[in-house]
Amino acid sequence: MELRELGRTGLKLSCIGFGASPLGNVFGTVSEEQANASVRLAFQSGINFFDTSPYYGGTLSEKVLGKALKALEAPRSSYVVATKCGRYKDGFDFSAERVTRSVEESLERLQLDYVDILQCHDIEFGSLDQIVNETIPALVKLKEAGKTRFIGITGLPLGIFSYVLDRVPPGTLDVVLSYCHYSVNDSSLGDLIPYLKAKGVGIINASPLSMGLLTHAGPPPWHPASPQLKSACEAAADHCKEKGKNISKLALQYSLLNKEISSVLVGMKSVEQVEENVAAARELANSGIDEEALSEVEAILKPVKNQSWPSGIQQS
Ligand code: NAD
């Protein structure tokens, strides 16, 4: 599995990262056995990056991931764990007091002494000025205290990243995690990459399958996309199926093509999905992407290209 540098952190992340939200049962029930086997196979296949949050499954994802990582009996330095703070099952709280307590709770659930990356989760739901003036300074203290090695921010609207990065001292933030903006149907993150690189932050792209839109099984019922976007993605998936091709493989490979992105986080809930996704990365490295299928899918998705959905509270 190809490793890519994460900004100036010195971390080398596998180009595919293990998104652990499915371990919180957000895409259907996953048994603990299945979770353990998926994490083990991912690690054995060269995936060294695991992302979770206290929000996923109301802390369940962190607990299940922590157990599965412990069961690996691998040196702590051989894998990178990212978790988040500020978003919980019962709502958002980006106060310094809450995020400081949050990391201690996460470490206990994950059975770890430190996490590698701690990120403010979905900051568009909070006051961005509080993020700048209160939350990030609290995270800097947690970094100094050794609870996390690096800090970052996550969210959907791309404007949040420049808002915050333009207002914190240079070098404060190590990482940004963007999702659903570097997939076949929406690649708008691409325009922001030169800016993010100039700011020296590492770039993580999550949800290459657009949270299930680019799968043959289709998205979960809670998916926020418009009916138009959902039906265009379904048409693209059906087209691939008719041609004997797999839309998820194509979509993941598309996201992996951009090497400015350090890791592409895919949510995985079974050994089969780990196998398929690892094989997709290997195939891409050996023989490149199926250009014909890609241009056909891009043509079907053209009317909805870069269409997103509202997220968060209006910032003044
Ligand atoms: P995704 O686009 O990775 O899609 C996940 C869905 O695709 C799940 O239903 C999964 O079972 C399915 N899937 C995975 N591999 C497949 C395959 N080969 N074939 C068919 N289906 C397959 O969306 P995601 O899980 O939301 O995102 C990935 C990860 O990124 C999350 O688990 C989380 O760790 C992170 N993330 C973070 C944020 C944030 O911080 N705000 C937002 C979104 C995602």
Side-chain angles (χ1 to χ4, degrees):
M1 177 79 51
E2 180 190 343
L3 296 178
R4 298 181 186 171
E5 302 253 355
L6 180 67
R8 48 175 165 53
T9 61
L11 294 177
K12 287 195 171 96
L13 302 185
S14 49
C15 61
I16 292 186
F18 189 105
S21 69
L23 305 190
N25 293 342
V26 302
F27 290 98
T29 308
V30 182
S31 70
E32 217 167 286
E33 246 172 29
Q34 217 171 40
N36 282 338
S38 306
V39 168
R40 178 170 293 276
L41 181 66
F43 184 70
Q44 286 168 345
S45 310
I47 292 178
N48 68 357
F49 177 39
F50 298 86
D51 178 77
T52 183
S53 162
Y55 174 61
Y56 301 149
T59 71
L60 181 65
S61 167
E62 283 190 330
K63 284 183 209 145
V64 172
L65 179 65
K67 264 195 188 172
L69 288 173
K70 191 162 191 185
L72 294 177
E73 294 184 346
R76 176 65 185 86
S77 58
S78 60
Y79 50 86
V80 173
V81 179
T83 193
K84 313 193 183 82
C85 58
R87 181 166 203 179
Y88 308 97
K89 194 179 168 191
D90 56 359
F92 292 85
D93 187 346
F94 290 103
S95 67
E97 185 276 321
R98 183 67 189 99
V99 299
T100 303
R101 193 156 39 88
S102 184
V103 70
E104 293 293 352
E105 294 165 357
S106 290
L107 290 175
E108 200 177 321
R109 286 189 290 262
L110 286 162
Q111 306 183 52
L112 297 175
D113 298 327
Y114 67 91
V115 288
D116 298 278
I117 306 172
L118 180 65
Q119 303 154 111
C120 308
H121 194 174
D122 290 342
I123 59 171
E124 70 270 25
F125 287 93
S127 147
L128 293 185
D129 292 324
Q130 183 189 29
I131 299 290
V132 168
N133 298 317
E134 181 178 342
T135 324
I136 291 175
L139 264 55
V140 169
K141 282 192 188 149
L142 291 168
K143 186 176 169 177
E144 286 163 0
K147 302 290 177 191
T148 183
R149 295 174 68 200
F150 302 104
I151 61 173
I153 49 177
T154 84
L156 184 73
L158 292 168
I160 58 176
F161 297 122
S162 45
Y163 187 95
V164 171
L165 282 164
D166 286 343
R167 286 166 178 79
V168 295
T172 306
L173 284 179
D174 304 298
V175 184
V176 300
L177 184 162
S178 162
Y179 73 99
C180 288
H181 287 310
Y182 204 91
S183 307
V184 193
N185 60 298
D186 181 343
S187 57
S188 49
L189 173 66
D191 294 338
L192 197 67
I193 288 179
Y195 165 87
L196 295 173
K197 286 198 79 186
K199 290 283 183 186
V201 289
I203 306 166
I204 295 166
N205 169 47
S207 313
L209 312 184
S210 295
M211 303 192 306
L213 286 177
L214 302 172
T215 62
H216 293 290
W222 50 259
H223 201 292
S226 71
Q228 189 203 15
L229 178 52
K230 283 182 182 164
S231 69
C233 291
E234 195 181 337
D238 289 347
H239 176 79
C240 287
K241 203 169 180 184
E242 273 163 31
K243 297 204 121 196
K245 303 196 170 169
N246 185 318
I247 188 129
S248 302
K249 178 172 91 173
L250 188 75
L252 175 58
Q253 291 180 334
Y254 173 87
S255 298
L256 288 169
L257 278 176
N258 191 325
K259 300 207 176 202
E260 311 278 22
I261 290 167
S262 303
S263 191
V264 175
L265 277 169
V266 199
M268 293 185 254
K269 62 174 185 184
S270 65
V271 162
E272 291 72 30
Q273 287 183 351
V274 175
E275 276 168 355
E276 277 183 35
N277 295 334
V278 169
R282 287 204 183 119
E283 187 189 290
L284 182 68
N286 293 333
S287 30
I289 200 162
D290 181 339
E291 295 287 354
E292 192 186 310
L294 177 61
S295 56
E296 288 167 5
V297 162
E298 283 184 315
I300 294 169
L301 295 173
K302 203 169 171 209
V304 292
K305 180 77 183 177
N306 293 348
Q307 188 189 110
S308 191
W309 47 85
S311 178
I313 54 172
Q314 207 73 29
Q315 301 287 331
S316 56

